[in-house]
Amino acid sequence: MSVFNNVNELINHLESNVLRDVLENEVFDVVAQTQSRMVFEHVYNKYRPVVYKRRGYSGGLGDPKNIVGSFYKKNNTIQMLIENKTRGYNSGQYIAGLIEYGDGYNGMKYDFPYKNRLDSRYTYLKERPFIRKTIDFLEKSGRHIDALERGLNRRGIKTIR
């Protein structure tokens, strides 16, 4: 068991030996799985396409393999950036922003803007905020905090909440 003489020693130990590993593994896994679930609930379940077949877990927006994390130190804290790097099947452009904010976001357009409708509704052109839903779910559930605690405990750092 490590003994620390002051808080700065503890913080340095956590950052260099433990925290990044916990973020890259336990916390990232929970966030990626949660985002994948939110894609299925808030994107895929909103309408059924008629022009193309969704890729889902096989390279689509709901595939956790397309969700990547990067970690960096800013203002003496380790920060984690999570991005969904799924590209459109035809366009090759990243599609997370387009789906999150809707058709026209940042100049982006859907590949099949008028051929892929159900009845007269253009549901797929509207925002389907799976990223916002992921954040909301994690904030309410605290699953990412639980993962952080489990990871720290597994590495010999006892946590008290």
Side-chain angles (χ1 to χ4, degrees):
M1 182 174 186
S2 300
V3 176
F4 307 99
N5 295 317
N6 58 53
V7 173
N8 286 336
E9 285 182 11
L10 171 62
I11 291 170
N12 287 334
H13 173 76
L14 287 173
E15 286 180 350
S16 61
N17 299 310
V18 178
L19 189 55
R20 186 178 176 117
D21 187 48
V22 172
L23 290 174
E24 287 177 344
N25 292 291
E26 284 88 348
V27 176
F28 174 75
D29 288 347
V30 165
V31 174
Q33 292 301 323
T34 300
Q35 185 175 105
S36 178
R37 189 172 124 213
M38 294 299 123
V39 166
F40 279 86
E41 287 180 24
H42 300 284
V43 176
Y44 294 160
N45 288 344
K46 293 296 179 182
Y47 77 96
R48 191 170 60 248
V50 293
V51 173
Y52 63 91
K53 184 177 182 220
R54 287 194 167 128
R55 294 172 286 166
Y57 289 121
S58 300
L61 193 68
D63 188 343
K65 292 178 197 139
N66 285 336
I67 302 168
V68 298
S70 55
F71 306 87
Y72 55 94
K73 194 167 184 175
K74 181 179 179 183
N75 299 329
N76 290 324
T77 61
I78 294 179
Q79 305 219 354
M80 181 168 72
L81 174 66
I82 307 291
E83 296 178 282
N84 191 309
K85 295 288 197 171
T86 305
R87 292 181 181 268
Y89 187 77
N90 290 328
S91 68
Q93 68 184 353
Y94 292 118
I95 60 174
L98 177 63
I99 294 169
E100 180 77 11
Y101 300 107
D103 192 54
Y105 168 75
N106 211 19
M108 298 168 64
K109 297 286 183 187
Y110 278 94
D111 290 339
F112 305 104
Y114 302 106
K115 296 178 183 176
N116 201 33
R117 66 181 187 205
L118 292 175
D119 303 324
S120 62
R121 295 174 287 136
Y122 293 92
T123 305
Y124 59 94
L125 295 175
K126 297 177 182 174
E127 65 181 38
R128 289 171 283 156
F130 69 97
I131 296 169
R132 170 56 32 209
K133 298 291 186 180
T134 300
I135 293 167
D136 291 346
F137 178 85
L138 290 170
E139 285 177 347
K140 288 177 185 163
S141 71
R143 289 189 61 215
H144 60 306
I145 303 298
D146 295 341
L148 178 66
E149 286 181 345
R150 278 191 312 275
L152 290 172
N153 291 335
R154 254 194 288 260
R155 289 161 180 82
I157 297 173
K158 189 173 185 174
T159 59
I160 301 171
R161 199 184 316 191

